[in-house]
């Protein structure tokens, strides 16, 4: 299964990716996670992308496209992949099509998680991430047994810099201006499957698996 997840910031892409990647036995490739890991490790790539991410702006395509090309050349993608956060504009979608066409491994589907802006803001402003394993929790909707500590690995939870209210507003604008056009792009390509991302995490996973099972 070669799959792209698309949806606004906070739609639940990372949360659903965890379950979908496990269900289909494919690697979850999140460009945001790769960039944050580089920032944490202090690599040259991390230094280059940090300021863009803190402002809620897209990192330049020249950086992102090469990062994804390299990742898709890793052997674990032979069985497929779940791309989360890429592509994020029509230029990136065209680059992805070219990379996959060279490898003769086209996408099977693009799953759109659709959700109202009011729900997004509540999800992002209460999100907490584990410093150790990167899992997302929520102070109201996905709580941990001990406040501030990850249930999965006991790591410390923190709030992402770009989950502050003023940056959330900019990320939503960037989504509308630059990322939303890829939804029409993939509709035209006949690859788009849209589901509602409202409701419980388990209900959305079930919805997604059922929609994706029909294309196999
Ligand atoms: P990235 O890391 O990709 O962030 P994003 O797309 O903004 O998405 P998020 O991670 O914020 O949200 P999500 O949809 O994964 O939601 P989640 O599951 O965590 O990108 C960050 C930045 O990196 C970009 O701004 C850009 O600078 C850069 N970047 C990355 N890729 C790039 C690219 N291709 N090109 C250029 N720049 C790039 O859920 C959110 C919260 O809601 C959590 O707390 C969760 O617990 C909770 N939640 C989830 N589902 C539910 C539910 N059903 N009910 C209640 N709560 C829920």
């Amino acid at each position: 299964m070669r799959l792209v997840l698309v949806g606004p910031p906070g739609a639940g892409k990372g949360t659903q990716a965890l379950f979908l990647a496990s269900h289909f036995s494919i690697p979850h490739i999140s460009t945001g996670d790769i960039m944050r890991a580089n920032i944490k490790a202090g690599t040259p790539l991390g230094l280059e992308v940090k300021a863009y991410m803190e402002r809620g702006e897209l990192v330049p395509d020249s950086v992102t496209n090469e990062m994804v090309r390299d990742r898709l050349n890793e052997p674990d993608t032979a069985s497929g992949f779940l791309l989360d956060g890429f592509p994020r504009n029509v230029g990136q979608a065209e680059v992805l099509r070219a990379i996959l066409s060279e490898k003769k491994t086209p996408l099977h589907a693009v799953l759109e998680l659709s959700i109202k802006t009011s729900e997004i803001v509540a999800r992002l402003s209460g999100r907490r991430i584990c410093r150790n394993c990167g899992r997302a929790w929520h102070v109201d909707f996905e709580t941990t047994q001990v406040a501030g500590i990850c249930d999965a690995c006991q790591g410390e939870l923190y709030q992402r810099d770009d989950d502050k209210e003023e940056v959330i507003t900019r990320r939503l604008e960037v989504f509308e201006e630059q990322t939303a056009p890829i939804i029409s792009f993939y509709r035209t390509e006949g690859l788009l499957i849209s589901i509602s991302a409202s409701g419980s995490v388990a209900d959305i996973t079930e919805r997604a698996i059922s929609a994706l099972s029909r294309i196999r």
Side-chain angles (χ1 to χ4, degrees):
M1 175 71 91
R2 290 179 293 276
L3 190 62
V4 164
L5 262 187
V6 65
K13 301 181 295 297
T15 301
Q16 291 304 324
L18 210 66
F19 299 105
L20 296 178
S22 156
H23 179 85
F24 292 110
S25 302
I26 50 177
H28 168 210
I29 302 176
S30 156
T31 44
D33 285 351
I34 298 173
M35 289 169 184
R36 278 184 291 277
N38 275 276
I39 292 173
K40 191 173 167 191
T43 68
L45 178 86
L47 289 176
E48 195 171 352
V49 303
K50 189 170 189 284
Y52 293 100
M53 293 180 76
E54 281 174 356
R55 292 197 309 269
E57 302 292 341
L58 294 190
V59 169
D61 288 354
S62 52
V63 176
T64 311
N65 290 339
E66 282 320 297
M67 200 181 84
V68 171
R69 186 186 294 276
D70 288 349
R71 182 63 185 88
L72 291 177
N73 279 329
E74 297 287 325
D76 64 340
T77 61
S79 58
F81 52 79
L82 174 54
L83 267 176
D84 160 11
F86 184 93
R88 247 186 163 90
N89 58 35
V90 172
Q92 292 184 4
E94 284 167 346
V95 167
L96 178 64
R97 185 170 57 187
I99 294 172
L100 297 180
S101 154
E102 269 168 36
K103 296 157 83 75
K104 300 191 173 40
T105 54
L107 287 175
H108 291 107
V110 174
L111 183 68
E112 179 197 6
L113 298 183
S114 153
I115 186 164
K116 285 195 247 124
T117 307
S118 51
E119 279 193 67
I120 290 173
V121 176
R123 284 187 186 182
L124 288 180
S125 51
R127 173 166 60 184
R128 299 293 182 268
I129 307 282
C130 174
R131 265 190 212 289
N132 183 41
C133 72
R135 194 189 189 292
W137 297 94
H138 194 283
V139 293
D140 298 315
F141 311 139
E142 279 274 289
T143 51
T144 51
Q145 284 178 4
V146 179
I149 303 290
C150 177
D151 278 0
C153 74
Q154 313 308 311
E156 181 200 1
L157 304 187
Y158 76 102
Q159 184 173 34
R160 266 170 52 176
D161 285 338
D162 61 350
D163 279 348
K164 311 272 158 62
E165 222 158 299
E166 60 285 5
V167 189
I168 293 176
T169 307
R170 181 60 193 144
R171 286 163 66 202
L172 291 172
E173 286 167 2
V174 168
F175 177 81
E176 282 309 320
E177 290 161 12
Q178 302 185 49
T179 307
I182 72 170
I183 293 169
S184 317
F185 176 94
Y186 283 124
R187 188 176 292 116
T188 309
E189 299 250 306
L191 289 170
L192 191 75
I193 298 174
S194 291
I195 61 165
S196 160
S198 287
S200 74
V201 171
D203 283 352
I204 299 161
T205 309
E206 206 179 302
R207 231 173 266 159
I209 290 173
S210 147
L212 291 168
S213 304
R214 278 181 243 131
I215 62 155
R216 300 205 87 201

